[in-house]
Amino acid sequence: MHFHTSQNSQSCLLASSVAVLQAEKRGSSTGVGVGELIWPSPSDGTPFWKKDFPSSGVSPEVFADVKDSDPKHIIHVTAEMAPIAKVGGLGDVVTGLARACLSRGHTVDIMLPFYECIQKQHIKDLTVITKYNSYHDGNWVPTTAYRGVVSGIPVIFIEPSNLFFKGQYVYGGSYNELEAYLFFSRACLEWMQQVTSTQPDIIHVHEWQTGALPLLYWDIYHHLSLKKPRIVLTIHNMEHYGECSKEQLSKSGLEGSVYASIDKAVDDRTIGHNPERLSLLKGGIVYSNAVVTVSPTYLKETLCTGWLASTLVRNRDKYFGILNGIDITMWNPATDIFLPVKFNDQKPEGKKFCKYYVQRGLGLASEGTQDGNHVPDITYKAPLVVCITRLVPQKGLHLISHAIKHIEELGGQMVILGKASDVRVQTEFEGLAKLHNQGPCIRILLMFSDELSHMLYAAADMVLVPSIYEPCGLTQMIGMRYGAVPVVRKTGGLADTVFDMDDQSNHNKANGFVFEGIDEGSLNCALDRAFTYFREKPDEWNGIIKKVMEVDNSWNNTAGKYVELYHSI
Ligand code: ADP
């Protein structure tokens, strides 16, 4: 049953709505799994996304029938892991890939800094395993290693006794971040080599933060007893490259000046300047056995543009593009603990309730607003567009702010859930929030909330991703799984996952609306077409929803490529 279609389905929905309302009064459950649903309101003391949710109890669901022969031991060394230390897609990817490999029969551990802000409530069986010393800047720093389990995945936490990783947020604490991650990279190797004599098959590092680990491994630890591991580096975003002076690198115990050559870690842009700088990301590329980036199109783009292109071309033989997947255990509208009503592609009715729930909770216009004995008409026609993003230039800030205006003109609704790290961007969006948040159709929420993000994907008719560049992008894939049709700019991983409805040459794959230019007109055109489908071609629109929910963007599809790579090196 879909919405807007036949008289029949309308009356079914109305019947469900009546059931919801009655349930609201009686606190009884209904046939659509609404249970004791209480509609939220903006005047609630606690916003609806901050109430207590049942603990997720997620376990490594065996979603792959595949069991790999010759299982490997893989240790991820990373700055982020969802949900306990997540800032963006990196956290999702580490958790999703680790879970996929576990379920395929591999042994997987994740090593993570023990951030002060880490969400301890999601860590099971947290225990100290050992105390040891790790080198930094002429000293041996007393360090504690903890073990715990996060959504079914074993994690080792590294906690130095100095100020590193202290503060309210994952990034941006009042310690030297570069030095903290240099310390962390070495402390992980120290833990493997000296403390536990662990010899994983693969050490999988991510981003610039752990880019020094391959250097430390090949030039120090491999000469000690750590012989077996091979190193894989995944680059999730080339924008951040770990700019580092020789002196800073030397604090890790390596001789910084040794790496200041074009074939090693020197930042090509600084050659001839005084002082020349190093890039931990470049060093990581040169010193890893394999380098992966997160979509085939981004791979092509990065071989042609950006200052790392020449390094990547030189290392082309070991450079691969593997599309990210999404963790379908964490992102599953049929079991998602944050949704007021669950749904799936076979039973999508719950999505309407999620939309109505969010509209009520945020005070957005919804024809269904209860008025005396009126039954809410949750077939309300305003399409709801969501944009869930870090508010940084990469994400197309001018297009996001333009979308607010255009969607309002089109009579739609828009919710932006975004976090800015730059004060100017924060101020600009605060201004927009002030202008719009009292009105009936736009909400701009400047914060990070995992809980609310789940509810917004479930509520959305469309998910907007107007990025200037996008290595892979997860929000379009998550949105699709939750029945939100993507409207995206054709770049990087967005070009690999979203195919335009009006592109006749690719009709089988068509699953969204795509634009190419970075101008407002290009965005308008894609939004106009999406709105026209939504309003004038309801059957086709329902077809798209079904199709996007059925797309398999899970790690099932792509984890195997990582496994092949692990074997090949
Ligand atoms: P990036 O890694 O560049 O931030 P991705 O699309 O790969 O972009 O991944 C973004 C991830 O972070 C998604 O899981 C998205 O839901 C989440 N996210 C981004 N901004 C927020 C926010 N303000 N609140 C909650 N989740 C967010």
Side-chain angles (χ1 to χ4, degrees), residues 357-369:
Y357 188 89
V358 164
Q359 285 174 321
R360 290 276 303 255
L362 295 179
L364 289 167
S366 53
E367 278 174 10
T369 305

Side-chain angles (χ1 to χ4, degrees), residues 244-476:
C244 177
S245 67
K246 289 172 228 172
E247 294 72 30
Q248 277 173 313
L249 184 58
S250 295
K251 291 188 179 182
S252 72
L254 293 167
E255 176 50 54
S257 54
V258 168
Y259 300 89
S261 64
I262 193 98
D263 59 331
K264 293 191 172 166
V266 80
D267 177 339
D268 306 27
R269 295 165 305 175
T270 65
I271 294 170
H273 288 74
N274 187 13
E276 285 179 359
R277 311 280 294 167
L278 305 178
S279 153
L280 295 186
L281 189 60
K282 177 172 167 182
I285 293 170
V286 171
Y287 277 75
S288 294
N289 297 94
V291 180
V292 178
T293 197
V294 291
S295 72
T297 298
Y298 191 58
L299 175 132
K300 282 189 216 142
E301 291 169 354
T302 53
L303 285 168
C304 304
T305 50
W307 72 271
L308 283 169
S310 58
T311 304
L312 293 168
V313 169
R314 271 202 302 282
N315 289 278
R316 182 70 186 92
D317 291 351
K318 62 172 187 184
Y319 183 38
F320 305 91
I322 303 180
L323 191 68
N324 280 338
I326 52 170
D327 183 345
I328 54 169
T329 308
M330 201 163 276
W331 297 107
N332 183 357
T335 55
D336 194 320
I337 50 165
F338 302 121
L339 304 193
V341 185
K342 325 281 181 231
F343 58 95
N344 61 28
D345 55 344
Q346 300 303 314
K347 283 188 151 193
E349 302 83 29
K351 187 167 171 65
K352 313 232 58 68
F353 290 97
C354 292
K355 179 175 176 184
Y356 183 60
Y357 188 89
V358 164
Q359 285 174 321
R360 290 276 303 255
L362 295 179
L364 289 167
S366 53
E367 278 174 10
T369 305
Q370 263 177 278
D371 170 17
N373 288 329
H374 279 109
V375 169
D377 170 13
I378 54 174
T379 57
Y380 186 59
K381 286 287 189 292
L384 175 63
V385 184
V386 305
C387 181
I388 300 170
T389 186
R390 293 181 297 119
L391 289 170
V392 293
Q394 174 202 338
K395 302 293 181 180
L397 295 176
H398 70 291
L399 293 177
I400 294 173
S401 50
H402 173 74
I404 299 170
K405 216 165 48 186
H406 194 62
I407 288 168
E408 199 171 26
E409 281 161 11
L410 290 174
Q413 299 184 341
M414 181 173 193
V415 180
I416 296 172
L417 174 61
K419 186 142 188 333
S421 40
D422 181 290
V423 182
R424 271 174 310 175
V425 177
Q426 175 75 14
T427 312
E428 181 195 334
F429 278 82
E430 275 170 3
L432 289 169
K434 218 170 169 185
L435 198 67
H436 293 281
N437 278 4
Q438 301 306 319
C441 50
I442 307 291
R443 291 294 176 270
I444 298 160
L445 306 164
L446 299 176
M447 61 186 179
F448 183 93
S449 166
D450 199 32
E451 295 85 347
L452 183 57
S453 76
H454 283 247
M455 295 187 215
L456 289 178
Y457 289 118
D461 296 301
M462 298 167 203
V463 58
L464 176 67
V465 197
S467 305
I468 304 305
Y469 76 93
E470 191 59 76
C472 178
L474 297 177
T475 64
Q476 81 282 10

Side-chain angles (χ1 to χ4, degrees), residues 197-212:
S197 304
T198 305
Q199 298 269 355
D201 298 291
I202 301 290
I203 302 174
H204 193 151
V205 300
H206 300 265
E207 302 291 64
W208 72 265
Q209 285 93 343
T210 50

Side-chain angles (χ1 to χ4, degrees), residues 541-560:
W541 185 260
N542 290 326
I544 314 177
I545 293 177
K546 196 160 166 47
K547 197 163 170 188
V548 297
M549 290 188 80
E550 283 167 0
V551 173
D552 184 359
N553 277 318
S554 72
W555 278 107
N556 276 348
N557 270 341
T558 48

Side-chain angles (χ1 to χ4, degrees), residues 81-234:
M81 179 193 185
I84 53 170
K86 165 173 162 175
V87 176
L90 169 62
D92 289 284
V93 169
V94 168
T95 303
L97 177 60
R99 194 199 309 283
C101 289
L102 270 176
S103 71
R104 294 170 75 109
H106 302 273
T107 303
V108 186
D109 296 295
I110 292 178
M111 296 191 80
L112 190 71
F114 202 17
Y115 297 105
E116 189 181 18
C117 67
I118 215 158
Q119 295 188 24
K120 289 204 189 66
Q121 72 275 20
H122 295 301
I123 308 173
K124 268 200 194 152
D125 307 328
L126 183 64
T127 39
V128 173
I129 40 176
T130 183
K131 288 181 187 279
Y132 66 107
N133 296 323
S134 192
Y135 180 86
H136 182 71
D137 196 14
N139 297 305
W140 288 86
V141 180
T143 299
T144 308
Y146 299 77
R147 188 184 289 287
V149 177
V150 177
S151 67
I153 303 164
V155 186
I156 294 138
F157 302 93
I158 301 297
E159 184 186 49
S161 55
N162 57 19
L163 274 180
F164 292 163
F165 309 118
K166 299 278 185 287
Q168 240 186 311
Y169 300 109
V170 170
Y171 303 129
S174 55
Y175 51 89
N176 185 309
E177 206 149 70
L178 184 100
E179 291 185 19
Y181 288 112
L182 281 172
F183 167 83
F184 171 64
S185 298
R186 178 155 185 175
C188 289
L189 289 170
E190 193 68 32
W191 180 85
M192 289 177 219
Q193 190 263 327
Q194 186 220 102
V195 184
T196 57
S197 304
T198 305
Q199 298 269 355
D201 298 291
I202 301 290
I203 302 174
H204 193 151
V205 300
H206 300 265
E207 302 291 64
W208 72 265
Q209 285 93 343
T210 50
L213 188 145
L215 282 57
L216 288 157
Y217 173 68
W218 290 112
D219 288 350
I220 299 180
Y221 287 86
H222 192 66
H223 298 295
L224 302 171
S225 60
L226 204 55
K227 299 288 181 198
K228 194 173 168 197
R230 292 286 178 270
I231 315 280
V232 175
L233 163 68
T234 296

